[in-house]
Amino acid sequence: NAHSASPALLERARLPLAMAEAATAAATAAATAGPEPAAIVEGEAPAKEVDTMEAKRAEIMAKVEAARAAGAKLEKQKADFFGEHAGITCDGCGCGPIVGYRYRCTRCANHDVCEACFDAWNGGEGEIKNGLASQRLSSNPKDHNFDLHKDKGFKSLVKGVVAAAVAKKPKPNEPCSCDSGKKYKKCCGVGGK
């Protein structure tokens, strides 16, 4: 039959039609998109993008430096306050001696807590326990304010830190190490300490 076309011939006839439709759709999209952006040289970013990248880089570097400073502060805090606090019992849970961080209330006469009880206090939003019950304490968490604390019985558990207890004991007529301005025998050395 001379009038019947082969499938391959029909496919070849459809191909230019599909290409023409695709070209028309692309031209329509380009016309509605607006003006073309400025040409970008390969390998170079526009000045606005460079400024944005530099700002982000500076922001990231500032965050890295802040994290390093916080880490250094934490290491110093560990060296200064993390250890065994001989003779000190936690007023919250009754454990003693406190090993780790010791927190002392700045509003109470003599109120020390361990790290677990400090975490339970949660900055005044949690709870205050009086497990030791040796003194009268407010059970309202907002009545307390705790700071890290150590005294002369403190022994650091951080390696490389010389414990305060190993320090040389001053002679009776030397100035006291507590910076009171008094002689040792009249201050911390009273009673043969």
Side-chain angles (χ1 to χ4, degrees), residues 38-112:
I40 298 174
V41 178
E42 190 174 317
E44 291 184 15
K48 193 173 189 179
E49 283 185 32
V50 170
D51 291 343
T52 304
M53 289 182 346
E54 287 178 5
K56 285 182 180 179
R57 181 175 288 126
E59 180 183 343
I60 290 169
M61 291 305 292
K63 287 180 180 179
V64 167
E65 287 303 314
R68 284 184 182 150
K73 182 180 178 183
L74 181 62
E75 287 303 314
K76 181 171 178 7
Q77 179 179 311
K78 276 185 180 178
D80 289 347
F81 296 100
F82 190 85
E84 182 179 342
H85 303 271
I88 305 299
T89 306
C90 175
D91 295 328
C93 62
C95 74
I98 294 177
V99 176
Y101 290 114
R102 169 187 174 192
Y103 296 89
R104 184 170 204 136
C105 183
T106 58
R107 296 178 184 160
C108 299
N110 184 19
H111 186 192
D112 299 296

Short mmCIF file of all heavy atoms in Angstrom, two decimals, residues 38-112:
data_model
loop_
_atom_site.label_atom_id
_atom_site.label_comp_id
_atom_site.label_asym_id
_atom_site.label_seq_id
_atom_site.Cartn_x
_atom_site.Cartn_y
_atom_site.Cartn_z
N ALA A 38 23.26 39.68 34.58
CA ALA A 38 24.58 40.01 34.05
C ALA A 38 25.39 38.74 33.89
O ALA A 38 25.27 37.81 34.68
CB ALA A 38 25.29 40.99 34.98
N ALA A 39 26.19 38.73 32.87
CA ALA A 39 27.01 37.55 32.60
C ALA A 39 28.01 37.36 33.73
O ALA A 39 28.59 38.31 34.24
CB ALA A 39 27.73 37.71 31.28
N ILE A 40 28.20 36.11 34.15
CA ILE A 40 29.13 35.77 35.21
C ILE A 40 30.32 35.07 34.58
O ILE A 40 30.16 34.12 33.83
CB ILE A 40 28.47 34.86 36.26
CG1 ILE A 40 27.30 35.58 36.90
CG2 ILE A 40 29.47 34.40 37.29
CD1 ILE A 40 26.50 34.72 37.83
N VAL A 41 31.49 35.57 34.89
CA VAL A 41 32.70 34.94 34.39
C VAL A 41 32.88 33.64 35.15
O VAL A 41 32.73 33.60 36.37
CB VAL A 41 33.93 35.87 34.59
CG1 VAL A 41 35.20 35.18 34.12
CG2 VAL A 41 33.71 37.18 33.89
N GLU A 42 33.21 32.58 34.43
CA GLU A 42 33.35 31.28 35.07
C GLU A 42 34.43 31.33 36.14
O GLU A 42 35.53 31.84 35.90
CB GLU A 42 33.69 30.23 34.03
CG GLU A 42 33.62 28.83 34.60
CD GLU A 42 33.83 27.76 33.53
OE1 GLU A 42 33.27 27.91 32.43
OE2 GLU A 42 34.56 26.82 33.82
N GLY A 43 34.11 30.81 37.35
CA GLY A 43 35.08 30.77 38.45
C GLY A 43 35.03 32.00 39.34
O GLY A 43 35.68 32.07 40.35
N GLU A 44 34.26 33.02 38.95
CA GLU A 44 34.15 34.22 39.76
C GLU A 44 32.72 34.38 40.24
O GLU A 44 31.78 34.16 39.49
CB GLU A 44 34.54 35.46 38.95
CG GLU A 44 36.01 35.52 38.59
CD GLU A 44 36.35 36.81 37.87
OE1 GLU A 44 35.54 37.75 37.90
OE2 GLU A 44 37.43 36.87 37.28
N ALA A 45 32.57 34.79 41.49
CA ALA A 45 31.25 35.06 42.04
C ALA A 45 31.00 36.55 41.99
O ALA A 45 31.95 37.34 42.05
CB ALA A 45 31.17 34.55 43.47
N PRO A 46 29.75 36.98 41.88
CA PRO A 46 29.46 38.41 41.90
C PRO A 46 29.92 39.03 43.23
O PRO A 46 30.01 38.36 44.25
CB PRO A 46 27.94 38.48 41.77
CG PRO A 46 27.50 37.14 41.30
CD PRO A 46 28.57 36.18 41.68
N ALA A 47 30.19 40.32 43.22
CA ALA A 47 30.71 41.02 44.41
C ALA A 47 29.77 40.88 45.61
O ALA A 47 30.23 40.72 46.74
CB ALA A 47 30.94 42.49 44.09
N LYS A 48 28.47 40.91 45.36
CA LYS A 48 27.50 40.80 46.46
C LYS A 48 27.63 39.43 47.13
O LYS A 48 27.58 39.32 48.35
CB LYS A 48 26.10 41.01 45.91
CG LYS A 48 25.05 41.21 46.96
CD LYS A 48 23.73 41.58 46.32
CE LYS A 48 22.73 41.99 47.37
NZ LYS A 48 21.45 42.38 46.78
N GLU A 49 27.80 38.37 46.33
CA GLU A 49 27.96 37.03 46.89
C GLU A 49 29.27 36.91 47.66
O GLU A 49 29.32 36.25 48.69
CB GLU A 49 27.91 35.98 45.77
CG GLU A 49 26.53 35.68 45.27
CD GLU A 49 26.51 34.54 44.26
OE1 GLU A 49 27.36 33.64 44.38
OE2 GLU A 49 25.66 34.57 43.36
N VAL A 50 30.33 37.54 47.17
CA VAL A 50 31.62 37.50 47.86
C VAL A 50 31.50 38.17 49.22
O VAL A 50 31.98 37.65 50.23
CB VAL A 50 32.73 38.17 47.01
CG1 VAL A 50 34.00 38.36 47.82
CG2 VAL A 50 33.00 37.35 45.76
N ASP A 51 30.82 39.32 49.26
CA ASP A 51 30.63 40.02 50.53
C ASP A 51 29.82 39.17 51.51
O ASP A 51 30.13 39.10 52.69
CB ASP A 51 29.92 41.36 50.31
CG ASP A 51 30.80 42.37 49.60
OD1 ASP A 51 32.03 42.17 49.57
OD2 ASP A 51 30.25 43.36 49.07
N THR A 52 28.79 38.49 51.01
CA THR A 52 27.97 37.63 51.85
C THR A 52 28.79 36.46 52.38
O THR A 52 28.70 36.11 53.56
CB THR A 52 26.76 37.10 51.05
OG1 THR A 52 26.03 38.22 50.54
CG2 THR A 52 25.86 36.26 51.93
N MET A 53 29.60 35.86 51.52
CA MET A 53 30.44 34.74 51.95
C MET A 53 31.47 35.19 52.98
O MET A 53 31.71 34.49 53.96
CB MET A 53 31.14 34.10 50.75
CG MET A 53 30.18 33.33 49.86
SD MET A 53 30.83 32.46 48.41
CE MET A 53 32.45 33.04 48.15
N GLU A 54 32.05 36.36 52.80
CA GLU A 54 33.02 36.87 53.77
C GLU A 54 32.35 37.17 55.11
O GLU A 54 32.92 36.90 56.16
CB GLU A 54 33.72 38.11 53.22
CG GLU A 54 34.72 37.79 52.13
CD GLU A 54 35.37 39.04 51.55
OE1 GLU A 54 35.11 40.15 52.05
OE2 GLU A 54 36.14 38.88 50.60
N ALA A 55 31.15 37.69 55.07
CA ALA A 55 30.42 37.97 56.31
C ALA A 55 30.10 36.67 57.05
O ALA A 55 30.25 36.58 58.27
CB ALA A 55 29.14 38.73 56.01
N LYS A 56 29.68 35.65 56.29
CA LYS A 56 29.40 34.36 56.92
C LYS A 56 30.67 33.75 57.49
O LYS A 56 30.66 33.19 58.58
CB LYS A 56 28.77 33.39 55.91
CG LYS A 56 27.33 33.70 55.61
CD LYS A 56 26.75 32.69 54.65
CE LYS A 56 25.29 33.00 54.34
NZ LYS A 56 24.72 32.03 53.41
N ARG A 57 31.78 33.86 56.77
CA ARG A 57 33.05 33.33 57.26
C ARG A 57 33.47 34.04 58.54
O ARG A 57 33.90 33.40 59.50
CB ARG A 57 34.14 33.49 56.19
CG ARG A 57 35.48 32.93 56.64
CD ARG A 57 36.53 32.99 55.55
NE ARG A 57 36.21 31.99 54.54
CZ ARG A 57 36.08 32.26 53.24
NH1 ARG A 57 36.24 33.48 52.79
NH2 ARG A 57 35.79 31.30 52.40
N ALA A 58 33.32 35.36 58.59
CA ALA A 58 33.67 36.12 59.79
C ALA A 58 32.77 35.71 60.96
O ALA A 58 33.24 35.58 62.10
CB ALA A 58 33.54 37.61 59.52
N GLU A 59 31.48 35.49 60.68
CA GLU A 59 30.55 35.07 61.73
C GLU A 59 30.93 33.69 62.28
O GLU A 59 30.93 33.48 63.50
CB GLU A 59 29.13 35.02 61.15
CG GLU A 59 28.07 34.60 62.13
CD GLU A 59 26.69 34.49 61.48
OE1 GLU A 59 26.48 35.04 60.40
OE2 GLU A 59 25.83 33.85 62.10
N ILE A 60 31.29 32.78 61.40
CA ILE A 60 31.69 31.44 61.82
C ILE A 60 32.97 31.50 62.63
O ILE A 60 33.10 30.84 63.67
CB ILE A 60 31.84 30.50 60.60
CG1 ILE A 60 30.46 30.21 60.01
CG2 ILE A 60 32.54 29.21 60.98
CD1 ILE A 60 30.49 29.53 58.66
N MET A 61 33.94 32.30 62.19
CA MET A 61 35.21 32.42 62.93
C MET A 61 34.97 33.01 64.32
O MET A 61 35.60 32.59 65.29
CB MET A 61 36.21 33.28 62.14
CG MET A 61 36.70 32.61 60.87
SD MET A 61 37.43 30.98 61.15
CE MET A 61 38.89 31.41 62.04
N ALA A 62 34.05 33.97 64.42
CA ALA A 62 33.73 34.54 65.74
C ALA A 62 33.11 33.48 66.65
O ALA A 62 33.44 33.41 67.84
CB ALA A 62 32.77 35.71 65.58
N LYS A 63 32.25 32.63 66.10
CA LYS A 63 31.65 31.56 66.89
C LYS A 63 32.69 30.54 67.33
O LYS A 63 32.65 30.05 68.45
CB LYS A 63 30.54 30.86 66.10
CG LYS A 63 29.29 31.70 65.96
CD LYS A 63 28.22 30.97 65.18
CE LYS A 63 26.97 31.81 65.05
NZ LYS A 63 25.92 31.13 64.27
N VAL A 64 33.65 30.23 66.45
CA VAL A 64 34.72 29.29 66.79
C VAL A 64 35.57 29.86 67.93
O VAL A 64 35.90 29.16 68.89
CB VAL A 64 35.58 28.97 65.55
CG1 VAL A 64 36.87 28.26 65.94
CG2 VAL A 64 34.80 28.13 64.56
N GLU A 65 35.91 31.14 67.84
CA GLU A 65 36.71 31.78 68.90
C GLU A 65 35.94 31.80 70.22
O GLU A 65 36.52 31.58 71.29
CB GLU A 65 37.12 33.20 68.49
CG GLU A 65 38.21 33.22 67.45
CD GLU A 65 39.46 32.47 67.87
OE1 GLU A 65 39.93 32.64 69.02
OE2 GLU A 65 39.97 31.70 67.04
N ALA A 66 34.64 32.07 70.16
CA ALA A 66 33.82 32.07 71.38
C ALA A 66 33.78 30.68 72.00
O ALA A 66 33.86 30.53 73.22
CB ALA A 66 32.41 32.57 71.07
N ALA A 67 33.68 29.65 71.16
CA ALA A 67 33.67 28.27 71.66
C ALA A 67 35.01 27.91 72.30
O ALA A 67 35.05 27.25 73.34
CB ALA A 67 33.34 27.30 70.54
N ARG A 68 36.11 28.35 71.68
CA ARG A 68 37.44 28.09 72.27
C ARG A 68 37.58 28.79 73.62
O ARG A 68 38.11 28.21 74.57
CB ARG A 68 38.53 28.57 71.32
CG ARG A 68 38.75 27.65 70.15
CD ARG A 68 39.89 28.12 69.30
NE ARG A 68 40.04 27.25 68.15
CZ ARG A 68 40.51 27.63 66.98
NH1 ARG A 68 40.90 28.88 66.81
NH2 ARG A 68 40.61 26.78 65.99
N ALA A 69 37.12 30.03 73.70
CA ALA A 69 37.21 30.78 74.96
C ALA A 69 36.37 30.10 76.04
O ALA A 69 36.79 30.00 77.19
CB ALA A 69 36.76 32.22 74.76
N ALA A 70 35.18 29.63 75.66
CA ALA A 70 34.32 28.94 76.63
C ALA A 70 34.97 27.64 77.09
O ALA A 70 34.90 27.29 78.27
CB ALA A 70 32.95 28.65 76.01
N GLY A 71 35.62 26.93 76.18
CA GLY A 71 36.33 25.69 76.55
C GLY A 71 37.47 25.96 77.50
O GLY A 71 37.68 25.22 78.47
N ALA A 72 38.23 27.04 77.24
CA ALA A 72 39.35 27.40 78.13
C ALA A 72 38.82 27.79 79.51
O ALA A 72 39.41 27.43 80.53
CB ALA A 72 40.15 28.53 77.52
N LYS A 73 37.70 28.50 79.54
CA LYS A 73 37.10 28.90 80.81
C LYS A 73 36.64 27.67 81.59
O LYS A 73 36.84 27.59 82.81
CB LYS A 73 35.93 29.84 80.56
CG LYS A 73 35.27 30.36 81.81
CD LYS A 73 34.12 31.28 81.49
CE LYS A 73 33.42 31.75 82.76
NZ LYS A 73 32.26 32.58 82.48
N LEU A 74 36.05 26.70 80.89
CA LEU A 74 35.59 25.47 81.54
C LEU A 74 36.78 24.68 82.11
O LEU A 74 36.70 24.16 83.22
CB LEU A 74 34.81 24.61 80.56
CG LEU A 74 34.24 23.31 81.10
CD1 LEU A 74 33.25 23.59 82.22
CD2 LEU A 74 33.58 22.52 80.00
N GLU A 75 37.87 24.61 81.36
CA GLU A 75 39.06 23.90 81.85
C GLU A 75 39.62 24.57 83.10
O GLU A 75 40.01 23.91 84.05
CB GLU A 75 40.12 23.82 80.76
CG GLU A 75 39.79 22.84 79.66
CD GLU A 75 39.54 21.43 80.16
OE1 GLU A 75 40.33 20.92 80.97
OE2 GLU A 75 38.54 20.83 79.74
N LYS A 76 39.66 25.91 83.10
CA LYS A 76 40.14 26.63 84.29
C LYS A 76 39.20 26.40 85.46
O LYS A 76 39.64 26.19 86.59
CB LYS A 76 40.26 28.12 83.99
CG LYS A 76 40.77 28.90 85.20
CD LYS A 76 41.09 30.31 84.87
CE LYS A 76 41.56 31.14 86.02
NZ LYS A 76 41.82 30.56 87.28
N GLN A 77 37.90 26.40 85.19
CA GLN A 77 36.91 26.15 86.25
C GLN A 77 37.10 24.77 86.83
O GLN A 77 37.05 24.59 88.05
CB GLN A 77 35.51 26.30 85.68
CG GLN A 77 34.40 26.03 86.67
CD GLN A 77 33.04 26.22 86.05
OE1 GLN A 77 32.77 27.21 85.42
NE2 GLN A 77 32.18 25.24 86.24
N LYS A 78 37.35 23.78 85.98
CA LYS A 78 37.58 22.41 86.48
C LYS A 78 38.81 22.38 87.36
O LYS A 78 38.81 21.77 88.42
CB LYS A 78 37.77 21.45 85.31
CG LYS A 78 36.51 20.92 84.73
CD LYS A 78 36.83 19.88 83.68
CE LYS A 78 35.60 19.32 83.05
NZ LYS A 78 35.91 18.35 82.00
N ALA A 79 39.89 23.01 86.91
CA ALA A 79 41.13 23.00 87.68
C ALA A 79 40.96 23.71 89.02
O ALA A 79 41.53 23.30 90.02
CB ALA A 79 42.25 23.66 86.87
N ASP A 80 40.15 24.76 89.03
CA ASP A 80 39.99 25.56 90.24
C ASP A 80 38.97 25.01 91.23
O ASP A 80 39.09 25.21 92.43
CB ASP A 80 39.60 26.99 89.88
CG ASP A 80 40.73 27.77 89.25
OD1 ASP A 80 41.89 27.30 89.29
OD2 ASP A 80 40.46 28.85 88.68
N PHE A 81 37.92 24.32 90.75
CA PHE A 81 36.81 23.96 91.63
C PHE A 81 36.43 22.49 91.63
O PHE A 81 35.66 22.07 92.48
CB PHE A 81 35.57 24.78 91.28
CG PHE A 81 35.74 26.26 91.51
CD1 PHE A 81 36.01 27.11 90.46
CD2 PHE A 81 35.64 26.78 92.78
CE1 PHE A 81 36.17 28.47 90.67
CE2 PHE A 81 35.79 28.13 93.00
CZ PHE A 81 36.05 28.98 91.94
N PHE A 82 36.88 21.68 90.66
CA PHE A 82 36.46 20.29 90.58
C PHE A 82 37.42 19.44 91.39
O PHE A 82 38.60 19.34 91.09
CB PHE A 82 36.44 19.81 89.13
CG PHE A 82 35.81 18.46 88.96
CD1 PHE A 82 34.44 18.34 88.82
CD2 PHE A 82 36.57 17.31 88.95
CE1 PHE A 82 33.84 17.11 88.66
CE2 PHE A 82 35.99 16.06 88.80
CZ PHE A 82 34.62 15.97 88.66
N GLY A 83 36.92 18.82 92.46
CA GLY A 83 37.78 18.00 93.30
C GLY A 83 37.04 17.49 94.51
O GLY A 83 35.81 17.43 94.55
N GLU A 84 37.81 17.10 95.51
CA GLU A 84 37.23 16.59 96.75
C GLU A 84 37.24 17.70 97.78
O GLU A 84 38.27 18.32 98.05
CB GLU A 84 38.05 15.41 97.27
CG GLU A 84 37.48 14.81 98.53
CD GLU A 84 38.28 13.62 99.04
OE1 GLU A 84 39.05 13.05 98.26
OE2 GLU A 84 38.12 13.29 100.22
N HIS A 85 36.07 17.94 98.35
CA HIS A 85 35.90 18.99 99.37
C HIS A 85 35.81 18.30 100.73
O HIS A 85 34.71 17.95 101.20
CB HIS A 85 34.65 19.82 99.06
CG HIS A 85 34.69 20.45 97.70
ND1 HIS A 85 35.23 21.68 97.48
CD2 HIS A 85 34.29 19.97 96.48
CE1 HIS A 85 35.14 21.97 96.19
NE2 HIS A 85 34.58 20.95 95.56
N ALA A 86 36.97 18.07 101.34
CA ALA A 86 37.05 17.31 102.60
C ALA A 86 36.25 17.98 103.71
O ALA A 86 36.32 19.19 103.91
CB ALA A 86 38.51 17.18 103.01
N GLY A 87 35.48 17.16 104.43
CA GLY A 87 34.72 17.66 105.58
C GLY A 87 33.46 18.41 105.21
O GLY A 87 32.78 18.93 106.09
N ILE A 88 33.10 18.48 103.94
CA ILE A 88 31.90 19.21 103.52
C ILE A 88 30.84 18.20 103.09
O ILE A 88 31.08 17.35 102.24
CB ILE A 88 32.20 20.18 102.35
CG1 ILE A 88 33.35 21.13 102.72
CG2 ILE A 88 30.95 20.95 101.96
CD1 ILE A 88 33.09 22.02 103.90
N THR A 89 29.67 18.31 103.68
CA THR A 89 28.56 17.42 103.36
C THR A 89 27.48 18.21 102.63
O THR A 89 27.22 19.37 102.97
CB THR A 89 27.97 16.83 104.66
OG1 THR A 89 29.02 16.21 105.40
CG2 THR A 89 26.89 15.81 104.36
N CYS A 90 26.87 17.60 101.63
CA CYS A 90 25.80 18.25 100.87
C CYS A 90 24.56 18.38 101.76
O CYS A 90 24.10 17.40 102.34
CB CYS A 90 25.49 17.44 99.61
SG CYS A 90 24.08 18.10 98.69
N ASP A 91 24.04 19.59 101.86
CA ASP A 91 22.83 19.82 102.65
C ASP A 91 21.58 19.31 101.93
O ASP A 91 20.54 19.12 102.56
CB ASP A 91 22.66 21.31 102.95
CG ASP A 91 23.77 21.85 103.84
OD1 ASP A 91 24.27 21.09 104.68
OD2 ASP A 91 24.13 23.04 103.69
N GLY A 92 21.69 19.08 100.63
CA GLY A 92 20.53 18.61 99.86
C GLY A 92 20.30 17.12 99.99
O GLY A 92 19.24 16.67 100.38
N CYS A 93 21.34 16.32 99.66
CA CYS A 93 21.17 14.86 99.67
C CYS A 93 21.92 14.18 100.80
O CYS A 93 21.73 12.98 101.04
CB CYS A 93 21.62 14.28 98.33
SG CYS A 93 23.36 14.55 97.95
N GLY A 94 22.76 14.88 101.52
CA GLY A 94 23.46 14.32 102.66
C GLY A 94 24.75 13.59 102.32
O GLY A 94 25.37 13.01 103.21
N CYS A 95 25.17 13.58 101.06
CA CYS A 95 26.41 12.87 100.71
C CYS A 95 27.61 13.67 101.21
O CYS A 95 27.59 14.88 101.28
CB CYS A 95 26.51 12.65 99.20
SG CYS A 95 26.90 14.12 98.26
N GLY A 96 28.63 12.97 101.58
CA GLY A 96 29.82 13.66 102.05
C GLY A 96 31.02 12.75 102.05
O GLY A 96 30.87 11.55 102.25
N PRO A 97 32.19 13.21 101.83
CA PRO A 97 32.47 14.59 101.42
C PRO A 97 32.02 14.82 99.98
O PRO A 97 31.91 13.89 99.20
CB PRO A 97 33.99 14.70 101.53
CG PRO A 97 34.48 13.32 101.30
CD PRO A 97 33.43 12.41 101.87
N ILE A 98 31.77 16.08 99.64
CA ILE A 98 31.36 16.41 98.28
C ILE A 98 32.55 16.19 97.36
O ILE A 98 33.64 16.69 97.60
CB ILE A 98 30.87 17.88 98.19
CG1 ILE A 98 29.59 18.06 98.99
CG2 ILE A 98 30.67 18.28 96.73
CD1 ILE A 98 29.07 19.48 99.03
N VAL A 99 32.33 15.39 96.31
CA VAL A 99 33.35 15.16 95.29
C VAL A 99 32.79 15.69 93.98
O VAL A 99 31.70 15.32 93.57
CB VAL A 99 33.69 13.66 95.16
CG1 VAL A 99 34.67 13.44 94.03
CG2 VAL A 99 34.26 13.13 96.47
N GLY A 100 33.54 16.56 93.35
CA GLY A 100 33.09 17.22 92.12
C GLY A 100 33.01 18.71 92.39
O GLY A 100 33.85 19.28 93.07
N TYR A 101 31.97 19.34 91.88
CA TYR A 101 31.78 20.77 92.14
C TYR A 101 30.99 20.96 93.42
O TYR A 101 30.07 20.22 93.72
CB TYR A 101 31.02 21.44 90.99
CG TYR A 101 31.82 21.55 89.71
CD1 TYR A 101 31.45 20.86 88.57
CD2 TYR A 101 32.95 22.36 89.65
CE1 TYR A 101 32.17 20.97 87.40
CE2 TYR A 101 33.68 22.46 88.49
CZ TYR A 101 33.29 21.78 87.37
OH TYR A 101 34.00 21.88 86.21
N ARG A 102 31.36 21.99 94.17
CA ARG A 102 30.65 22.36 95.41
C ARG A 102 30.06 23.74 95.18
O ARG A 102 30.73 24.66 94.71
CB ARG A 102 31.64 22.40 96.56
CG ARG A 102 31.07 23.02 97.83
CD ARG A 102 32.17 23.19 98.86
NE ARG A 102 31.74 23.90 100.04
CZ ARG A 102 32.56 24.37 100.96
NH1 ARG A 102 33.87 24.16 100.84
NH2 ARG A 102 32.10 25.01 102.00
N TYR A 103 28.79 23.87 95.50
CA TYR A 103 28.10 25.16 95.35
C TYR A 103 27.67 25.64 96.72
O TYR A 103 27.16 24.88 97.53
CB TYR A 103 26.88 25.00 94.44
CG TYR A 103 27.26 24.62 93.04
CD1 TYR A 103 27.38 23.29 92.66
CD2 TYR A 103 27.51 25.59 92.08
CE1 TYR A 103 27.73 22.94 91.38
CE2 TYR A 103 27.86 25.25 90.78
CZ TYR A 103 27.97 23.92 90.44
OH TYR A 103 28.32 23.57 89.17
N ARG A 104 27.88 26.92 96.98
CA ARG A 104 27.53 27.53 98.26
C ARG A 104 26.52 28.63 98.02
O ARG A 104 26.69 29.45 97.13
CB ARG A 104 28.78 28.08 98.94
CG ARG A 104 28.48 28.63 100.30
CD ARG A 104 29.73 28.95 101.06
NE ARG A 104 29.38 28.90 102.45
CZ ARG A 104 30.09 28.33 103.38
NH1 ARG A 104 31.22 27.76 103.08
NH2 ARG A 104 29.70 28.33 104.62
N CYS A 105 25.47 28.66 98.83
CA CYS A 105 24.44 29.68 98.70
C CYS A 105 24.98 31.02 99.21
O CYS A 105 25.56 31.08 100.30
CB CYS A 105 23.18 29.28 99.49
SG CYS A 105 21.84 30.47 99.30
N THR A 106 24.78 32.06 98.42
CA THR A 106 25.26 33.38 98.82
C THR A 106 24.27 34.09 99.74
O THR A 106 24.61 35.10 100.33
CB THR A 106 25.49 34.27 97.57
OG1 THR A 106 24.27 34.36 96.83
CG2 THR A 106 26.58 33.68 96.69
N ARG A 107 23.07 33.53 99.89
CA ARG A 107 22.04 34.16 100.72
C ARG A 107 21.87 33.49 102.08
O ARG A 107 21.27 34.06 102.97
CB ARG A 107 20.70 34.15 99.98
CG ARG A 107 20.74 34.97 98.71
CD ARG A 107 19.44 34.92 97.98
NE ARG A 107 19.53 35.63 96.72
CZ ARG A 107 18.70 35.44 95.72
NH1 ARG A 107 17.71 34.58 95.83
NH2 ARG A 107 18.85 36.12 94.60
N CYS A 108 22.36 32.24 102.20
CA CYS A 108 22.22 31.51 103.47
C CYS A 108 23.55 31.52 104.23
O CYS A 108 24.62 31.64 103.61
CB CYS A 108 21.81 30.06 103.20
SG CYS A 108 20.23 29.91 102.35
N ALA A 109 23.49 31.35 105.53
CA ALA A 109 24.69 31.39 106.36
C ALA A 109 25.65 30.25 106.04
O ALA A 109 26.85 30.47 105.90
CB ALA A 109 24.31 31.35 107.83
N ASN A 110 25.17 29.03 105.92
CA ASN A 110 26.04 27.88 105.69
C ASN A 110 25.25 26.82 104.94
O ASN A 110 24.72 25.89 105.53
CB ASN A 110 26.55 27.34 107.03
CG ASN A 110 27.53 26.20 106.82
OD1 ASN A 110 28.09 26.04 105.74
ND2 ASN A 110 27.72 25.40 107.85
N HIS A 111 25.17 26.97 103.62
CA HIS A 111 24.37 26.05 102.80
C HIS A 111 25.20 25.63 101.59
O HIS A 111 25.41 26.42 100.68
CB HIS A 111 23.07 26.74 102.38
CG HIS A 111 22.12 25.84 101.65
ND1 HIS A 111 21.04 26.30 100.99
CD2 HIS A 111 22.10 24.49 101.49
CE1 HIS A 111 20.38 25.30 100.44
NE2 HIS A 111 21.01 24.19 100.73
N ASP A 112 25.68 24.38 101.62
CA ASP A 112 26.48 23.83 100.53
C ASP A 112 25.72 22.68 99.88
O ASP A 112 25.08 21.88 100.58
CB ASP A 112 27.80 23.26 101.07
CG ASP A 112 28.64 24.34 101.73
OD1 ASP A 112 29.05 25.27 101.02
OD2 ASP A 112 28.87 24.25 102.95
#
